[in-house]
């Protein structure tokens, strides 16, 4: 019993330990900034490429009067942009997962501070539990399935689905398929693409949440409060 009680005693924070944890906190925060910067840079590059591709399609369409040259150019450019979008989607999703890992590491350090000085709890606005790492979770907001559309990867998923739907529609139109049929096929491809992308993203988030160990859950502190 004595040994188990000692396991829950707060860690004595020496000046060396404070320096170590401060450095670790700085490294984690720097890592978060780098992941966010990379995600923004890759997304901007992809959106810029899509915008340039659409402008090029407009010029070719005007010159060729939506003739054969337009369809050939479109059927080359759209798959290229879609491939670039898939790479961007995967990398942005990886960056988001890394950002969550860093955020949970920061929460653990914050939990250490509060173990040593619990009276400082009212002055910490963010969570000290490593099962809540997103800003919305830290502030007490409910997270739903709609959250996958609000992330950077969710935006990439919609853009990729638009490119896929446009490619299918133009491909069918090139073979003289009626406009209504080409449009319907493009819409269906868009919806299927969104579902596949977001389902994949949701599974990746659930996998991260399952594989990342939780050391200081919210329920543990609630249990302590109820006992007291």
């Amino acid at each position: 019993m004595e040994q188990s009680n000692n396991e829950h005693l707060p860690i004595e924070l020496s000046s060396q330990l404070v320096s170590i944890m401060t450095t670790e906190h700085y490294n984690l925060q720097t890592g978060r900034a780098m992941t966010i910067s990379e995600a923004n840079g890759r997304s901007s590059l992809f959106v810029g490429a899509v915008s340039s591709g659409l402008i090029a399609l407009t010029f070719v369409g005007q010159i060729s009067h939506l003739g054969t040259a337009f369809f050939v150019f479109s059927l080359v450019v759209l798959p290229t942009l879609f491939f670039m979008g898939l790479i961007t989607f995967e990398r942005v999703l990886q960056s988001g997962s890394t950002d969550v890992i860093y955020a949970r590491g920061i929460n653990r350090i914050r939990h250490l501070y509060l173990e040593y000085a619990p009276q400082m709890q009212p002055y910490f606005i963010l969570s000290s539990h490593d099962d809540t790492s997103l800003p919305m979770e830290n502030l007490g907001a409910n997270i739903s399935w709609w959250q996958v559309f609000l992330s950077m990867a969710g935006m990439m998923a919609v853009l990729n689905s638009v490119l896929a739907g446009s490619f299918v529609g133009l491909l069918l139109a090139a073979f003289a398929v009626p406009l209504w049929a080409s449009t319907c096929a493009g819409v269906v491809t868009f919806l299927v693409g969104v579902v596949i992308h977001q389902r994949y993203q949701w599974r990746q988030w659930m996998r991260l949440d399952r594989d990342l160990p939780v050391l200081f859950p919210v329920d543990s502190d609630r249990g302590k409060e109820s006992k007291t």
Side-chain angles (χ1 to χ4, degrees):
M1 289 292 295
E2 184 177 354
Q3 182 178 359
S4 61
N5 291 334
N6 291 335
E7 292 177 357
H8 297 283
L9 293 177
I11 301 175
E12 186 66 26
L13 292 182
S14 62
S15 59
Q16 292 84 356
L17 183 57
V18 171
S19 177
I20 292 173
M21 299 311 296
T22 301
T23 303
E24 179 66 11
H25 187 284
Y26 173 79
N27 292 336
L28 292 173
Q29 193 62 47
T30 302
R32 293 196 69 186
M34 292 177 62
T35 58
I36 295 174
S37 177
E38 181 185 2
N40 291 337
R42 285 180 173 267
S43 301
S44 300
L45 179 63
F46 173 63
V47 173
V50 172
S51 300
S52 301
L54 294 179
I55 293 174
L57 287 176
T58 302
F59 287 151
V60 173
Q62 290 177 348
I63 295 174
S64 63
H65 302 288
L66 299 180
T68 303
F70 170 75
F71 286 101
V72 172
F73 187 75
S74 301
L75 296 178
V76 171
V77 171
L78 291 179
T80 304
L81 294 176
F82 179 72
F83 177 73
M84 182 179 179
L86 288 179
I87 296 176
T88 304
F89 170 77
E90 179 65 24
R91 185 53 191 162
V92 168
L93 187 56
Q94 291 176 356
S95 298
S97 300
T98 304
D99 180 67
V100 169
I101 295 174
Y102 290 158
R104 291 193 178 186
I106 293 175
N107 285 2
R108 291 181 182 182
I109 295 175
R110 192 178 297 115
H111 193 278
L112 173 63
Y113 294 154
L114 290 179
E115 281 184 349
Y116 181 74
Q119 68 275 15
M120 300 298 294
Q121 176 69 54
Y123 301 97
F124 286 84
I125 192 172
L126 298 180
S127 174
S128 60
H129 308 282
D130 59 350
D131 56 348
T132 55
S133 52
L134 297 178
M136 294 71 62
E137 291 176 322
N138 281 327
L139 298 178
N142 294 325
I143 304 301
S144 64
W145 64 271
W146 183 253
Q147 186 62 37
V148 294
F149 289 94
L150 304 182
S151 63
M152 191 70 71
M155 183 185 72
M156 296 296 102
V158 174
L159 290 178
N160 288 342
S161 301
V162 171
L163 292 173
S166 301
F167 173 78
V168 171
L170 286 173
L171 181 62
L172 294 178
F175 288 97
V177 176
L179 179 61
W180 66 269
S182 301
T183 303
C184 291
V187 172
V188 170
T189 303
F190 165 76
L191 295 176
V192 172
V194 170
V195 171
I196 293 176
H197 278 83
Q198 303 297 31
R199 185 180 180 86
Y200 176 79
Q201 181 184 182
W202 184 261
R203 285 184 175 181
Q204 292 299 106
W205 287 119
M206 292 299 100
R207 179 182 177 183
L208 174 64
D209 189 66
R210 182 179 63 254
D211 296 342
L212 189 62
V214 176
L215 302 181
F216 309 107
V218 177
D219 295 336
S220 62
D221 282 3
R222 291 176 180 173
K224 294 178 183 179
E225 293 176 358
S226 62
K227 290 181 181 179
T228 56

